[in-house]
Amino acid sequence: MQNNQLSEPSEKQPLQQLLSRPDIWQLASQQRQLRTGISTGYRGLDALLSNRGWPRGATSELLLDKGGIGEISLILPTLAEMTRQNRMVVLIAPPHIPYAPALVQAGVRLEKLLILHPRGQRDQLWAAEQSLQSGACGALVSWQGKENPADKDLRRLQIAAREGDCLHFHFRPGSCASAPSPASLRLQLRSDGEQLAIQLLKQLNGRSGQRVHLPRSPNLTRRDQPLH
Amino acid sequence: MLWLCIQLPKLPLEALTRAHRAGDTVPLAVTQSNLVIEANLAAGNHNIEPGLSIATACAYCAELQLLERDSEREEQLLRQLAQWAYSFTPVVSPRSAEQSKSQQDNNPACLYLELSGSLKAHGGLAPLLLQLGKELHKMRVTHFMGLGHSPSAAHLLSQLPEHRQWLAETGTAPSPQQWRQWISFAPSKLLDCSNKAIAKLYASGIKRVSQLLAIPLSEVGNRFGRNFIDYLARLNGTRPDPVASYQPAPEFHSELFFPSPLDNSEQLLFPAGRLVRELCRQLQRRQLYSPQLCWVLNFGSRGTQEVNVALSRPLFDPQRLIALTKLQLERVELPEPVQALGLKCQQLRPLEAQSLREDFFDEGSTLHDTYQLIDKLKARLGHQALSGVTLKESYLPEQAWASADSLTLQSRQRGHQLAPVSAPRPSWLLSRPDKIHQRDHRLFYDGELQLLQGPERIDGYWWQHHRHARDYYIARSEQGSLYWVFQDLTSEEWYLHGVYS
């Protein structure tokens, strides 16, 4: 009797353990899955993502070749929400000056924004890892420099993001799409006329390959003013 | 009044060797005009003692290291100790060693502390004495103490073995009668006067202070002078005994000297830890904090180098301060071996209850983590690698923002009162406008540009010499990027100024 009682739960356990693993995708749970991610602010994109939002405590890679197609607008609602929740947002080595009037227009609380300019890739990776795992940051945005970071470095950042429960957005050139990456989510960004075309390259516990188009703000693209 | 006299007999040696780790076994001797005046334990085992000539000492022990006495460093260490003592009591008086021409006549340096006012704060006399002794030991400063009703009495009693033993055993203040008894029993060679005067006393058969006190004062005066009578009166307590009181500047400065210079920045971490602990103990007692640590690497005749560690909030944890220091020191390439390591904190600030409360109760640990992260980043990347942004009121787009100190993260109350313009602004601004090529009234920047919206005329500062008159447009490139471009109305040139990213 005693033996039976003991062995019963331990028989159940491995299956449950297996099912609770984040890297096992269950078709049955797809429909009733609740939002465990952080909303992107775009309903169309949320619907594609397996957690109904950006994966928590993980790296999301954003691959694009040419800036100015709306790549910051894609993450800006999330960053603004983070600062409103009194959490710090860190930008590491942004390509240009983050323009304060635009950030305030988007609802970012500037006093929660920290911009880092480390010299060299080693310092850059160090700063990213420290910030991610500190537990002080809500989100961290980093840009890949000239050098391609090694696979083990990307893995370390992914682990640091999990430790510090921090959203990590990593901008990389489109050419990195063919190389494997430990990131939880990989999105290819392109411009499709006046829309941002997003292709889902990879997501943990979810399907990939879908596309979604997000229109740019009509404030920017309408032509109601006389030209020149 | 309750005066404590802390005698520092080995200051000449310790000023030079305090940085050594415990258990350092190199025999060392401090010399002055060809004589050994102090030797460490290892040298003492070779029978080397004060008074030997250098030649004799070297004959006793071949590997003996000789160090020239450095009065300046002694003075400095005494000042550091006075500063340390000041964190216990507001009445502190340091007395430096008196070096007269004859070598025998050498009074060691000492510190006078008035304790009656600070007994309550430290839980009574015994715990206070224990704490003082413990910290001196941690700082590796040899000492012995005496208690008295006046500084002169304390000085005399500190040399009396019976009194010292009694003090160590009971840890209580003796009654005035007891003091007088001890003083009168004391041998007259302990009196705080010149060797010549003491020789004179012995010549007259006066071996105990009691014998001296029995003689009418006028007769003593005839023989030894007015100053001596004055001294006796102060010793007796019949005349006030003033000492120069020490007023420390609101700063911390301590230095460790290495007789054998260090050529590796990693070796600096051990002495740095000792200095940081001294700093933390003093700051906590004086209710001050330091917004930055300034490390001074002293290369002797080849100058000094400063390494700064900025702190964004009051921090008293030696472990954390050392970790931050380590991040900085790791990056320092030593051009020369380091002869001394100093720690300077020049702007000590009073600790406000508010800042502590914010730290511990408000918002809990995230704010704490934030400060810790910022300190760490600053220590490794440098102060200039961190910034924030704020709004500024200006017509000119490039002046509508400002780089802010990352510390604005602290001030949660001070939100931005400025409202930005309502026209759509790009998320990126180029640090300087990039010129756009123009051909046949068409614009090219990575392909042809198509103007979507505009113009928004910005014509500011026309009253200044450099007029800025610009027409801004939103333009789209062939690849679909949206740019913020303008035409300079005076030169008619086109520029790219921002990216709608």
Side-chain angles (χ1 to χ4, degrees):
Chain A
M1 264 315 265
Q2 260 188 332
N3 260 344
N4 262 343
Q5 272 180 340
L6 275 175
S7 61
E8 222 176 330
S10 60
E11 261 172 31
K12 257 186 199 168
Q13 246 172 0
L15 182 63
Q16 255 161 14
Q17 267 176 359
L18 213 58
L19 290 179
S20 63
R21 276 179 62 152
D23 51 352
I24 291 202
W25 177 60
Q26 284 173 271
L27 184 67
S29 65
Q30 183 73 1
Q31 272 73 35
R32 55 192 160 84
Q33 195 159 34
L34 295 169
R35 171 175 291 159
T36 52
I38 292 163
S39 171
T40 62
Y42 299 95
R43 216 178 281 172
L45 182 57
D46 280 352
L48 284 190
L49 299 174
S50 60
N51 299 322
R52 301 284 176 270
W54 300 116
R56 264 173 206 280
T59 301
S60 300
E61 263 181 31
L62 306 170
L63 307 161
L64 80 161
D65 285 315
K66 193 79 196 137
I69 58 172
E71 71 275 16
I72 298 298
S73 318
L74 178 65
I75 56 172
L76 208 49
T78 314
L79 300 186
E81 182 54 31
M82 283 290 164
T83 61
R84 278 196 296 269
Q85 288 173 11
N86 239 333
R87 302 197 61 187
M88 192 159 67
V89 169
V90 181
L91 309 182
I92 297 188
H96 301 291
I97 300 163
Y99 195 42
L103 297 174
V104 174
Q105 278 174 357
V108 174
R109 285 179 54 198
L110 293 180
E111 67 272 22
K112 285 284 160 196
L113 195 67
L114 179 67
I115 300 157
L116 302 179
H117 299 281
R119 270 166 295 173
Q121 205 198 17
R122 256 189 75 211
D123 274 3
Q124 218 168 80
L125 288 170
W126 178 85
E129 192 179 14
Q130 291 293 326
S131 311
L132 284 170
Q133 70 189 13
S134 68
C137 306
L140 180 130
V141 191
S142 55
W143 282 263
Q144 179 173 316
K146 290 188 189 87
E147 279 175 83
N148 211 347
D151 198 48
K152 70 168 178 17
D153 292 328
L154 294 174
R155 207 171 291 280
R156 280 179 66 164
L157 294 184
Q158 166 94 1
I159 291 167
R162 192 169 62 211
E163 276 173 18
D165 190 23
C166 180
L167 278 178
H168 179 205
F169 297 107
H170 192 182
F171 282 104
R172 303 182 68 188
S175 56
C176 299
S178 52
S181 158
S184 296
L185 176 68
R186 303 185 83 194
L187 300 178
Q188 176 101 49
L189 311 181
R190 287 202 186 88
S191 174
D192 178 15
E194 288 179 1
Q195 293 182 319
L196 175 66
I198 302 172
Q199 189 187 0
L200 223 160
L201 293 181
K202 169 195 175 186
Q203 67 173 325
L204 280 184
N205 5 309
R207 296 201 305 140
S208 58
Q210 311 92 311
R211 288 163 190 274
V212 66
H213 293 257
L214 303 179
R216 312 240 16 206
S217 157
N219 277 346
L220 301 178
T221 51
R222 68 166 179 234
R223 301 178 199 192
D224 53 354
Q225 306 270 356
L227 290 182
H228 210 16
Chain B
M1 301 289 262
L2 188 60
W3 286 89
L4 181 73
C5 173
I6 305 178
Q7 298 249 19
L8 309 162
K10 288 199 181 267
L11 215 55
L13 178 72
E14 278 152 358
L16 300 176
T17 63
R18 201 165 64 96
H20 282 208
R21 282 166 195 267
D24 221 348
T25 50
V26 184
L28 274 171
V30 180
T31 62
Q32 187 179 24
S33 11
N34 278 327
L35 287 178
V36 172
I37 55 164
E38 205 57 73
N40 71 352
L41 205 64
N45 292 339
H46 288 92
N47 294 327
I48 289 162
E49 46 190 32
L52 287 183
S53 72
I54 290 182
T56 323
C58 288
Y60 281 166
C61 172
E63 64 264 32
L64 182 68
Q65 264 193 41
L66 298 175
L67 299 169
E68 183 68 24
R69 183 173 189 179
D70 190 338
S71 308
E72 213 171 292
R73 262 184 218 291
E74 270 173 57
E75 272 300 303
Q76 203 180 333
L77 180 55
L78 186 65
R79 269 201 306 278
Q80 289 168 26
L81 289 170
Q83 184 187 296
W84 159 81
Y86 189 79
S87 62
F88 286 94
T89 164
V91 188
V92 174
S93 175
R95 181 175 132 174
S96 44
E98 286 156 16
Q99 298 167 16
S100 58
K101 284 178 191 77
S102 68
Q103 288 303 313
Q104 310 305 317
D105 205 16
N106 208 341
N107 271 321
C110 65
L111 278 176
Y112 295 114
L113 278 68
E114 206 287 305
L115 294 185
S116 59
S118 43
L119 290 179
K120 216 178 213 171
H122 293 91
L125 185 63
L128 177 55
L129 291 178
L130 203 67
Q131 182 70 17
L132 287 165
K134 211 157 64 182
E135 290 195 12
L136 281 169
H137 184 73
K138 269 188 198 150
M139 291 189 280
R140 315 243 299 138
V141 173
T142 314
H143 62 277
F144 50 84
M145 302 178 181
L147 262 181
H149 52 75
S150 72
S152 303
H155 187 265
L156 181 81
L157 290 177
S158 69
Q159 302 176 79
L160 203 66
E162 296 96 309
H163 172 74
R164 292 214 296 264
Q165 200 190 347
W166 179 86
L167 197 62
E169 278 168 10
T170 65
T172 50
S175 63
Q177 289 82 3
Q178 222 168 347
W179 271 329
R180 296 229 166 77
Q181 211 172 355
W182 268 323
I183 288 176
S184 46
F185 267 120
S188 42
K189 68 173 179 201
L190 298 185
L191 288 173
D192 191 11
C193 54
S194 67
N195 276 6
K196 223 168 118 192
I198 287 172
K200 225 166 168 185
L201 283 174
Y202 272 75
S204 341
I206 300 171
K207 289 189 178 139
R208 300 253 163 214
V209 178
S210 54
Q211 289 171 291
L212 185 64
L213 294 177
I215 306 171
L217 275 182
S218 57
E219 278 184 39
V220 179
N222 286 341
R223 278 201 152 191
F224 298 97
R226 278 205 62 80
N227 283 349
F228 193 72
I229 295 188
D230 201 44
Y231 167 67
L232 282 183
R234 283 187 281 132
L235 196 59
N236 249 339
T238 48
R239 193 171 287 190
D241 190 10
V243 286
S245 188
Y246 165 81
Q247 271 305 323
E251 60 176 34
F252 175 88
H253 186 209
S254 187
E255 194 182 52
L256 291 176
F257 173 77
F258 315 116
S260 39
L262 306 180
D263 45 15
N264 180 342
S265 61
E266 213 168 292
Q267 292 175 311
L268 288 172
L269 285 175
F270 175 77
R274 185 170 286 168
L275 290 175
V276 160
R277 280 188 200 94
E278 284 176 22
L279 171 75
C280 289
R281 280 196 295 267
Q282 291 191 29
L283 289 183
Q284 258 175 333
R285 274 197 299 261
R286 288 170 67 181
Q287 292 288 294
L288 296 170
Y289 79 93
S290 174
Q292 74 163 4
L293 308 182
C294 177
W295 294 97
V296 186
L297 309 180
N298 191 337
F299 308 116
S301 57
R302 302 218 171 78
T304 59
Q305 184 186 344
E306 290 193 356
V307 178
N308 286 311
V309 179
L311 307 171
S312 48
R313 78 204 140 113
L315 192 59
F316 296 111
D317 182 1
Q319 295 295 344
R320 287 241 184 87
L321 289 171
I322 293 166
L324 292 175
T325 303
K326 189 174 171 219
L327 282 174
Q328 285 275 30
L329 287 180
E330 273 170 356
R331 301 164 62 80
V332 173
E333 292 264 331
L334 297 179
E336 300 283 339
V338 179
Q339 295 198 353
L341 176 71
L343 174 57
K344 239 177 15 185
C345 300
Q346 280 178 319
Q347 312 157 298
L348 298 186
R349 295 185 187 154
L351 200 60
E352 287 156 17
Q354 198 190 351
S355 62
L356 273 182
R357 196 169 57 234
E358 199 174 66
D359 215 12
F360 293 122
F361 304 111
D362 206 22
E363 280 187 45
S365 58
T366 40
L367 202 61
H368 200 76
D369 289 341
T370 305
Y371 292 140
Q372 208 175 326
L373 174 65
I374 287 178
D375 286 344
K376 218 190 247 178
L377 292 171
K378 268 189 193 161
R380 163 125 178 207
L381 307 176
H383 192 81
Q384 69 290 344
L386 280 77
S387 69
V389 289
T390 57
L391 280 181
K392 248 173 67 181
E393 201 156 21
S394 172
Y395 288 111
L396 275 185
E398 61 264 41
Q399 290 176 9
W401 76 283
S403 181
D405 189 25
S406 51
L407 287 184
T408 47
L409 285 164
Q410 282 187 350
S411 55
R412 288 164 299 107
Q413 293 87 353
R414 197 189 344 132
H416 33 78
Q417 282 88 18
L418 293 173
V421 287
S422 54
R425 287 287 178 253
S427 41
W428 294 138
L429 191 75
L430 270 58
S431 48
R432 69 167 42 176
D434 205 358
K435 202 159 169 194
I436 295 173
H437 293 288
Q438 231 180 319
R439 208 169 55 226
D440 308 334
H441 293 284
R442 295 193 299 173
L443 302 173
F444 294 92
Y445 190 91
D446 272 353
E448 193 177 347
L449 292 180
Q450 186 191 1
L451 298 183
L452 300 182
Q453 256 190 65
E456 180 192 345
R457 179 156 295 182
I458 292 174
D459 188 357
Y461 300 99
W462 47 265
W463 58 90
Q464 281 182 359
H465 185 61
H466 287 289
R467 184 180 170 209
H468 292 279
R470 301 168 184 170
D471 274 347
Y472 275 87
Y473 298 87
I474 298 174
R476 188 175 58 205
S477 78
E478 278 175 8
Q479 285 105 331
S481 306
L482 293 182
Y483 292 135
W484 204 35
V485 301
F486 71 83
Q487 185 181 28
D488 191 313
L489 294 179
T490 42
S491 67
E492 302 213 327
E493 300 271 18
W494 286 79
Y495 294 91
L496 176 71
H497 204 184
V499 183
Y500 289 94
S501 177

